[in-house]
Amino acid sequence: MIYLDYAATAPVLPEVRTAMHKAEEQFFANASALHTPGHLAMNQIEHTRNLLAKLINAKPEEIIFTSGATESNNTVIRTFEGCKIETSPLEHHSLIKAAEIYGGEGQPKLYSYMLVNNEIGEILKMPRVEEGAYLHSDLTQALGKIPIDVKALKLDYATFSAHKIGGPMGVGALYVRDGVPFKPLMVGGNQEKKRRGGTYNTVGIIGFGAALEKILNEESWKRYDTEIRKLRDVLAERILAEVPGSSLNTDLTPGASLPNILNVSFRAAEGESIQLYLDAEGIIVSTGSACAAGDIKPSHVLMAKTGDAEVAHSSIRFSFGLDNTMQDVDAVMRVLPDIVNRLQQMSTIPMLAS
Ligand code: PMP
């Protein structure tokens, strides 16, 4: 199998699996308990907290563990329930939907702008935030791929998820700058200094830590910027040259997009059909965002960027991880031109219409 869907979920790293197996045996106790096994579990949780804090230039006490990016995004929005919330049009549904439901007209104002979009990899400019307003950024796709400094970005809140970096699913984190407003989403327990009730997911948080440790030790963002960017750019060049009717939805200019994401549209060929034919060849990609798969509405991100439902419906996202090689690009290009050509032949949309 050639896996090119890292932006949806990265496979669990071997180091993470080992750390989690060990954790199941050794750190099984409730981390809030006052006995020795409880303390040992809590020490491991604090270790992960320190690693994330170091990686994003925060203080450990500014990190809260959650069940993932969806919960982190929802927690920030609920903190600003009834307030004015301005979001970029490219936000993940977990942010957009929450803002639609809970946003209002009150004060203070929250701005929520993701640093990197998950569907096209675009790196967004942070908005100018007036005095008395707050800034949240969903950094789910950015973590490990580009350097992150929450202080330099002037963020008040930031969202993270473990399964996008080779950690387990169901674990995430929220950065909450010292002194900014905060309302817990989960109430009842005293965990996380009363900011997130619920027994600690010790094994998951330890797995998250192992993935963070690898990023820090290997400075993986440097490999993305060189090796992975090369794979992505070669794939893009070859698609444009070898697949008629193809156009890029990702800007390849350095600094404009994450180096591991490539979103492409194929005129008169449906994205989901291409995905299924590639799948039959053992090549795993996605259409738009996996979270929107099965949803017949065109991707809101591509609609916001292009305003063209046909471009949105004919798009494929390739997303690379550090395990991919140039052989994977070759394998895609051995089958993709034929697959697209076959679909274009069947289509009722004329190939030369644009
Ligand atoms: N935000 C972004 C930018 C994402 O890419 C994703 C995952 N598709 C999420 C939030 C949701 O993450 P989780 O699965 O951890 O809830």
Side-chain angles (χ1 to χ4, degrees):
M1 178 175 79
I2 293 167
Y3 189 75
L4 291 168
D5 201 18
Y6 277 79
T9 283
V12 173
L13 291 163
E15 295 87 339
V16 170
R17 216 174 295 140
T18 306
M20 289 175 73
H21 282 154
K22 186 176 146 198
E24 270 162 358
E25 286 168 16
Q26 296 184 5
F27 305 113
F28 56 87
N30 191 315
S32 305
L34 294 177
H35 47 57
T36 300
H39 282 307
L40 292 175
M42 187 52 96
N43 286 344
Q44 296 293 314
I45 291 170
E46 294 312 318
H47 179 61
T48 298
R49 202 188 305 280
N50 290 333
L51 290 171
L52 181 58
K54 186 171 169 203
L55 185 56
I56 66 168
N57 190 26
K59 291 184 260 181
E61 59 273 22
E62 292 175 317
I63 307 280
I64 298 171
F65 289 112
T66 65
S67 65
T70 299
E71 181 187 326
S72 298
N73 283 345
N74 272 268
T75 305
V76 176
I77 296 299
R78 292 299 287 275
T79 292
F80 287 85
E81 190 164 351
C83 299
K84 282 202 188 92
I85 301 173
E86 179 185 312
T87 72
S88 93
L90 307 190
E91 297 304 298
H92 190 261
H93 277 133
S94 59
L95 200 294
I96 289 186
K97 289 268 180 309
E100 267 171 26
I101 296 170
Y102 299 108
E105 289 303 315
Q107 303 292 335
K109 183 169 176 178
L110 175 73
Y111 289 84
S112 191
Y113 277 66
M114 62 196 343
L115 184 61
V116 174
N117 174 263
N118 48 306
E119 294 190 38
I120 55 174
E122 178 170 324
I123 297 177
L124 280 74
K125 261 212 175 73
M126 290 294 118
R128 289 170 72 91
V129 174
E130 67 274 18
E131 192 66 31
Y134 296 90
L135 177 62
H136 166 250
S137 186
D138 182 341
L139 301 181
T140 302
Q141 295 291 340
L143 187 66
K145 313 294 188 309
I146 50 174
I148 292 174
D149 182 333
V150 292
K151 300 286 186 271
L153 288 165
K154 296 192 166 66
L155 300 181
D156 298 302
Y157 309 87
T159 286
F160 304 95
S161 181
H163 73 97
K164 309 284 183 179
I165 61 163
M169 291 169 186
V171 187
L174 178 61
Y175 158 75
V176 180
R177 188 168 68 79
D178 245 359
V180 298
F182 185 80
K183 222 162 50 189
L185 187 65
M186 304 290 185
V187 295
N190 289 339
Q191 291 88 353
E192 297 292 69
K193 301 197 169 84
K194 297 191 180 167
R195 293 172 299 178
R196 202 273 186 178
T199 302
Y200 285 98
N201 176 2
T202 310
V203 173
I205 293 170
I206 288 172
F208 190 11
L212 291 167
E213 200 137 31
K214 193 170 157 82
I215 289 173
L216 279 159
N217 290 342
E218 295 187 354
E219 300 190 319
S220 62
W221 56 91
K222 293 186 178 163
R223 284 188 61 202
Y224 278 100
D225 193 36
T226 52
E227 296 164 46
I228 302 303
R229 177 185 301 284
K230 179 110 208 267
L231 300 186
R232 193 267 311 252
D233 289 2
V234 168
L235 178 62
E237 256 173 55
R238 289 195 57 187
I239 288 176
L240 288 176
E242 299 172 37
V243 187
S246 56
S247 59
L248 306 186
N249 299 315
T250 300
D251 180 350
L252 305 186
T253 316
S257 64
L258 212 59
N260 71 317
I261 292 182
L262 177 65
N263 194 304
V264 191
S265 287
F266 300 93
R267 175 129 190 99
E270 205 192 25
E272 288 189 2
S273 306
I274 300 172
Q275 180 195 27
L276 292 175
Y277 277 111
L278 284 173
D279 192 337
E281 300 285 346
I283 296 169
I284 311 304
V285 301
S286 77
T287 53
S289 87
C291 317
D295 190 339
I296 49 161
K297 283 204 295 269
S299 145
H300 68 285
V301 173
L302 290 170
M303 285 307 286
K305 294 303 290 184
T306 68
D308 185 338
E310 204 194 309
V311 166
H313 277 305
S314 66
S315 78
I316 286 287
R317 179 187 65 186
F318 300 91
S319 54
F320 293 87
L322 294 177
D323 289 335
N324 290 122
T325 63
M326 202 56 89
Q327 279 81 44
D328 298 337
V329 172
D330 292 339
V332 171
M333 293 313 298
R334 265 197 298 278
V335 296
L336 184 66
D338 267 0
I339 290 174
V340 174
N341 182 258
R342 233 179 306 154
L343 292 166
Q344 287 169 335
Q345 300 296 323
M346 289 190 265
S347 170
T348 50
I349 302 167
M351 254 302 283
L352 300 174
S354 70

mmCIF file of all heavy atoms in Angstrom, residues 4 69 89 113 131 138 180 190 196 202 209 219 222 236 264 306 314 329 345 351:
data_model
loop_
_atom_site.group_PDB
_atom_site.id
_atom_site.type_symbol
_atom_site.label_atom_id
_atom_site.label_comp_id
_atom_site.label_asym_id
_atom_site.label_seq_id
_atom_site.Cartn_x
_atom_site.Cartn_y
_atom_site.Cartn_z
ATOM 1 N N LEU A 4 -0.879 7.979 1.104
ATOM 2 C CA LEU A 4 -0.678 9.414 0.852
ATOM 3 C C LEU A 4 -1.851 10.206 1.447
ATOM 4 O O LEU A 4 -2.405 11.099 0.811
ATOM 5 C CB LEU A 4 -0.545 9.662 -0.659
ATOM 6 C CG LEU A 4 0.742 9.107 -1.290
ATOM 7 C CD1 LEU A 4 0.670 9.118 -2.806
ATOM 8 C CD2 LEU A 4 1.958 9.909 -0.820
ATOM 9 N N ALA A 69 -8.442 17.633 18.409
ATOM 10 C CA ALA A 69 -8.591 19.003 17.914
ATOM 11 C C ALA A 69 -10.047 19.458 17.937
ATOM 12 O O ALA A 69 -10.336 20.632 18.170
ATOM 13 C CB ALA A 69 -8.018 19.109 16.503
ATOM 14 N N PRO A 89 -12.584 31.704 6.241
ATOM 15 C CA PRO A 89 -13.523 30.796 5.556
ATOM 16 C C PRO A 89 -12.953 29.397 5.375
ATOM 17 O O PRO A 89 -13.662 28.497 4.940
ATOM 18 C CB PRO A 89 -13.736 31.469 4.192
ATOM 19 C CG PRO A 89 -12.602 32.407 4.022
ATOM 20 C CD PRO A 89 -12.066 32.757 5.364
ATOM 21 N N TYR A 113 -8.309 31.846 13.297
ATOM 22 C CA TYR A 113 -7.683 31.664 11.976
ATOM 23 C C TYR A 113 -6.688 30.525 12.071
ATOM 24 O O TYR A 113 -5.716 30.624 12.819
ATOM 25 C CB TYR A 113 -6.952 32.949 11.540
ATOM 26 C CG TYR A 113 -7.868 33.975 10.911
ATOM 27 C CD1 TYR A 113 -8.854 34.599 11.658
ATOM 28 C CD2 TYR A 113 -7.756 34.298 9.562
ATOM 29 C CE1 TYR A 113 -9.709 35.526 11.078
ATOM 30 C CE2 TYR A 113 -8.601 35.231 8.974
ATOM 31 C CZ TYR A 113 -9.574 35.831 9.737
ATOM 32 O OH TYR A 113 -10.429 36.747 9.162
ATOM 33 N N GLU A 131 -7.060 45.699 20.422
ATOM 34 C CA GLU A 131 -6.948 45.646 21.877
ATOM 35 C C GLU A 131 -8.252 45.095 22.474
ATOM 36 O O GLU A 131 -9.343 45.515 22.056
ATOM 37 C CB GLU A 131 -6.698 47.094 22.374
ATOM 38 C CG GLU A 131 -6.279 47.252 23.816
ATOM 39 C CD GLU A 131 -4.916 46.656 24.116
ATOM 40 O OE1 GLU A 131 -4.053 46.636 23.225
ATOM 41 O OE2 GLU A 131 -4.747 46.191 25.270
ATOM 42 N N ASP A 138 -6.011 27.140 14.938
ATOM 43 C CA ASP A 138 -6.019 25.679 14.855
ATOM 44 C C ASP A 138 -4.685 25.274 14.213
ATOM 45 O O ASP A 138 -4.473 25.502 13.024
ATOM 46 C CB ASP A 138 -7.221 25.254 13.992
ATOM 47 C CG ASP A 138 -7.361 23.745 13.884
ATOM 48 O OD1 ASP A 138 -6.375 23.038 14.147
ATOM 49 O OD2 ASP A 138 -8.462 23.289 13.519
ATOM 50 N N VAL A 180 -5.832 34.576 30.021
ATOM 51 C CA VAL A 180 -6.931 34.877 29.089
ATOM 52 C C VAL A 180 -8.208 34.177 29.563
ATOM 53 O O VAL A 180 -8.139 33.251 30.374
ATOM 54 C CB VAL A 180 -6.589 34.454 27.625
ATOM 55 C CG1 VAL A 180 -5.386 35.229 27.113
ATOM 56 C CG2 VAL A 180 -6.359 32.953 27.514
ATOM 57 N N ASN A 190 -11.622 17.604 38.780
ATOM 58 C CA ASN A 190 -10.639 18.663 39.047
ATOM 59 C C ASN A 190 -9.396 18.559 38.175
ATOM 60 O O ASN A 190 -8.436 19.299 38.368
ATOM 61 C CB ASN A 190 -10.210 18.622 40.517
ATOM 62 C CG ASN A 190 -11.318 19.095 41.431
ATOM 63 O OD1 ASN A 190 -12.240 19.801 40.979
ATOM 64 N ND2 ASN A 190 -11.263 18.700 42.687
ATOM 65 N N ARG A 196 -10.337 20.840 32.634
ATOM 66 C CA ARG A 196 -10.870 19.786 31.770
ATOM 67 C C ARG A 196 -11.105 18.540 32.616
ATOM 68 O O ARG A 196 -10.170 17.784 32.896
ATOM 69 C CB ARG A 196 -9.883 19.484 30.645
ATOM 70 C CG ARG A 196 -10.492 18.826 29.402
ATOM 71 C CD ARG A 196 -10.551 17.321 29.535
ATOM 72 N NE ARG A 196 -10.993 16.693 28.297
ATOM 73 C CZ ARG A 196 -11.089 15.381 28.139
ATOM 74 N NH1 ARG A 196 -10.788 14.557 29.133
ATOM 75 N NH2 ARG A 196 -11.502 14.883 27.004
ATOM 76 N N THR A 202 -3.958 8.465 30.170
ATOM 77 C CA THR A 202 -2.498 8.404 30.374
ATOM 78 C C THR A 202 -1.783 7.740 29.203
ATOM 79 O O THR A 202 -0.790 8.271 28.686
ATOM 80 C CB THR A 202 -2.181 7.614 31.668
ATOM 81 O OG1 THR A 202 -2.974 8.148 32.722
ATOM 82 C CG2 THR A 202 -0.718 7.711 32.023
ATOM 83 N N GLY A 209 3.304 12.005 23.568
ATOM 84 C CA GLY A 209 4.652 12.438 23.983
ATOM 85 C C GLY A 209 5.737 11.791 23.133
ATOM 86 O O GLY A 209 6.709 12.448 22.744
ATOM 87 N N GLU A 219 14.023 17.274 14.553
ATOM 88 C CA GLU A 219 13.660 18.574 13.942
ATOM 89 C C GLU A 219 12.961 18.293 12.616
ATOM 90 O O GLU A 219 13.406 18.710 11.543
ATOM 91 C CB GLU A 219 14.907 19.427 13.763
ATOM 92 C CG GLU A 219 15.610 19.707 15.087
ATOM 93 C CD GLU A 219 16.703 20.746 14.967
ATOM 94 O OE1 GLU A 219 17.455 20.709 13.970
ATOM 95 O OE2 GLU A 219 16.796 21.600 15.875
ATOM 96 N N LYS A 222 12.417 20.320 9.343
ATOM 97 C CA LYS A 222 13.486 20.537 8.354
ATOM 98 C C LYS A 222 13.405 19.501 7.247
ATOM 99 O O LYS A 222 13.628 19.808 6.077
ATOM 100 C CB LYS A 222 14.862 20.468 9.041
ATOM 101 C CG LYS A 222 15.097 21.610 9.999
ATOM 102 C CD LYS A 222 16.501 21.612 10.551
ATOM 103 C CE LYS A 222 16.708 22.798 11.474
ATOM 104 N NZ LYS A 222 17.891 22.638 12.323
ATOM 105 N N ALA A 236 3.529 17.275 -8.354
ATOM 106 C CA ALA A 236 2.738 18.355 -8.959
ATOM 107 C C ALA A 236 3.166 18.614 -10.405
ATOM 108 O O ALA A 236 2.331 18.681 -11.311
ATOM 109 C CB ALA A 236 2.884 19.630 -8.128
ATOM 110 N N VAL A 264 -5.197 18.776 -6.069
ATOM 111 C CA VAL A 264 -5.246 18.919 -7.526
ATOM 112 C C VAL A 264 -6.664 18.671 -8.016
ATOM 113 O O VAL A 264 -7.360 17.804 -7.476
ATOM 114 C CB VAL A 264 -4.333 17.855 -8.196
ATOM 115 C CG1 VAL A 264 -4.166 18.154 -9.678
ATOM 116 C CG2 VAL A 264 -2.989 17.779 -7.525
ATOM 117 N N THR A 306 -12.087 28.913 -4.943
ATOM 118 C CA THR A 306 -12.265 28.944 -6.400
ATOM 119 C C THR A 306 -13.664 29.392 -6.818
ATOM 120 O O THR A 306 -13.856 29.830 -7.952
ATOM 121 C CB THR A 306 -12.029 27.553 -7.024
ATOM 122 O OG1 THR A 306 -13.096 26.674 -6.605
ATOM 123 C CG2 THR A 306 -10.703 26.946 -6.580
ATOM 124 N N SER A 314 -13.922 17.766 -8.374
ATOM 125 C CA SER A 314 -12.952 16.961 -9.123
ATOM 126 C C SER A 314 -11.582 16.984 -8.448
ATOM 127 O O SER A 314 -10.563 16.769 -9.077
ATOM 128 C CB SER A 314 -12.836 17.482 -10.554
ATOM 129 O OG SER A 314 -12.266 18.779 -10.532
ATOM 130 N N VAL A 329 5.858 8.413 -5.628
ATOM 131 C CA VAL A 329 5.434 9.363 -6.669
ATOM 132 C C VAL A 329 5.383 8.649 -8.016
ATOM 133 O O VAL A 329 4.415 8.777 -8.780
ATOM 134 C CB VAL A 329 6.404 10.578 -6.719
ATOM 135 C CG1 VAL A 329 6.104 11.473 -7.919
ATOM 136 C CG2 VAL A 329 6.338 11.362 -5.412
ATOM 137 N N GLN A 345 -13.240 10.236 -20.363
ATOM 138 C CA GLN A 345 -13.930 9.677 -21.541
ATOM 139 C C GLN A 345 -15.414 9.430 -21.248
ATOM 140 O O GLN A 345 -16.270 9.584 -22.102
ATOM 141 C CB GLN A 345 -13.328 8.321 -21.958
ATOM 142 C CG GLN A 345 -11.858 8.341 -22.339
ATOM 143 C CD GLN A 345 -11.598 9.187 -23.570
ATOM 144 O OE1 GLN A 345 -12.413 9.202 -24.485
ATOM 145 N NE2 GLN A 345 -10.496 9.930 -23.571
ATOM 146 N N MET A 351 -14.253 18.144 -22.100
ATOM 147 C CA MET A 351 -12.879 18.357 -21.605
ATOM 148 C C MET A 351 -12.330 19.736 -21.946
ATOM 149 O O MET A 351 -11.535 20.286 -21.239
ATOM 150 C CB MET A 351 -11.982 17.306 -22.247
ATOM 151 C CG MET A 351 -11.565 16.208 -21.330
ATOM 152 S SD MET A 351 -10.710 16.831 -19.918
ATOM 153 C CE MET A 351 -9.119 17.168 -20.635
#
